[in-house]
Amino acid sequence: MLKKKVEDAINKQIQEELYSAYLYLSMSAYFSNKGLAGFANWFDVQQKEERDHAMKFYNYLLAHGSKVKLLKIDEPGHEWKSAIDVFKAGLKHEQHITECINNLVDIAEKEKDRATFNLLQWYIDEQVEEEENARTIIEKLSLIKTDSNGIFMLDKELSARVYVPLVIA
Ligand code: FEO
């Protein structure tokens, strides 16, 4: 069984990951409403990946005979000013998640919990990728500005993103 402090912190992180899924699902809907199916697809893949992140923690708790306590999930917001505004909000959120993961690492270290510390290495690597993905699209969108041809091309590019389910141990 995990120590109570670790168990509580992981339950809190499950909430953070599920909120992320909720936020990206809302962003996906925002783009669907605007007729940008590629952007919508990108966020749909993103929200599915977030559910996997939550489930990886969920299974980890159960594997240790610890308790899963699902917490309340806030409303994610429904309106953004522009496509770049959506990705900037997404990046800001990912930076917050990186901070959460780093705090979890601190707790695992303090509690001398090697297994949780090892699990978190996967999330640390994942966060580098998550922030980089958002940053790359923000850079593209700042070059495109309001050029509709550029938006159309990027929409096509983002439609190619495919969801690959995470193999959860
Ligand atoms: Fe699960 Fe995007 O952090």
Side-chain angles (χ1 to χ4, degrees), residues 113-124:
D113 183 338
R114 302 300 302 171
T116 301
F117 184 83
N118 283 347
L119 170 83
L120 292 169
Q121 302 314 300
W122 182 87
Y123 286 90
I124 291 172

Side-chain angles (χ1 to χ4, degrees), residues 77-139:
H78 320 97
E79 276 305 324
W80 292 272
K81 279 182 283 185
S82 59
I84 198 165
D85 193 39
V86 177
F87 281 91
K88 280 183 178 169
L91 175 59
K92 198 167 161 219
H93 180 68
E94 285 305 326
Q95 287 164 338
H96 161 72
I97 295 293
T98 300
E99 220 177 282
C100 294
I101 298 292
N102 289 339
N103 288 338
L104 257 172
V105 172
D106 288 346
I107 293 170
E109 266 183 331
K110 222 168 142 197
E111 298 297 320
K112 297 188 173 27
D113 183 338
R114 302 300 302 171
T116 301
F117 184 83
N118 283 347
L119 170 83
L120 292 169
Q121 302 314 300
W122 182 87
Y123 286 90
I124 291 172
D125 293 342
E126 182 69 13
Q127 280 314 115
V128 174
E129 204 186 302
E130 296 269 81
E131 287 193 29
E132 192 190 346
N133 287 346
R135 227 175 263 122
T136 307
I137 298 171
I138 289 169
E139 278 162 17

Side-chain angles (χ1 to χ4, degrees), residues 11-169:
N11 272 306
K12 178 81 186 71
Q13 193 57 32
I14 291 174
Q15 179 194 38
E16 291 280 359
E17 300 292 346
L18 290 176
Y19 173 80
S20 306
Y22 218 35
L23 174 67
Y24 296 142
L25 183 61
S26 186
M27 289 172 168
S28 181
Y30 168 87
F31 283 117
S32 285
N33 283 146
K34 300 223 172 294
L36 291 166
F39 283 85
N41 169 66
W42 194 90
F43 276 104
D44 183 47
V45 172
Q46 190 67 21
Q47 68 95 8
K48 285 175 178 149
E49 287 193 358
E50 296 302 348
R51 281 192 279 155
D52 285 349
H53 298 171
M55 289 311 292
K56 191 174 170 76
F57 278 125
Y58 174 102
N59 285 3
Y60 180 78
L61 284 180
L62 293 181
H64 283 82
S66 294
K67 208 164 164 41
V68 170
K69 287 181 214 148
L70 295 178
L71 306 170
K72 187 179 164 207
I73 302 172
D74 287 338
E75 266 187 42
H78 320 97
E79 276 305 324
W80 292 272
K81 279 182 283 185
S82 59
I84 198 165
D85 193 39
V86 177
F87 281 91
K88 280 183 178 169
L91 175 59
K92 198 167 161 219
H93 180 68
E94 285 305 326
Q95 287 164 338
H96 161 72
I97 295 293
T98 300
E99 220 177 282
C100 294
I101 298 292
N102 289 339
N103 288 338
L104 257 172
V105 172
D106 288 346
I107 293 170
E109 266 183 331
K110 222 168 142 197
E111 298 297 320
K112 297 188 173 27
D113 183 338
R114 302 300 302 171
T116 301
F117 184 83
N118 283 347
L119 170 83
L120 292 169
Q121 302 314 300
W122 182 87
Y123 286 90
I124 291 172
D125 293 342
E126 182 69 13
Q127 280 314 115
V128 174
E129 204 186 302
E130 296 269 81
E131 287 193 29
E132 192 190 346
N133 287 346
R135 227 175 263 122
T136 307
I137 298 171
I138 289 169
E139 278 162 17
K140 286 184 183 176
L141 282 167
S142 17
L143 289 173
I144 291 168
K145 293 198 170 67
T146 52
D147 174 51
S148 53
N149 208 33
I151 296 278
F152 175 75
M153 300 278 284
L154 184 57
D155 189 59
K156 203 167 167 205
E157 185 186 321
L158 298 183
S159 72
R161 187 178 186 192
V162 176
Y163 168 63
V164 181
L166 183 67
V167 178
I168 300 172

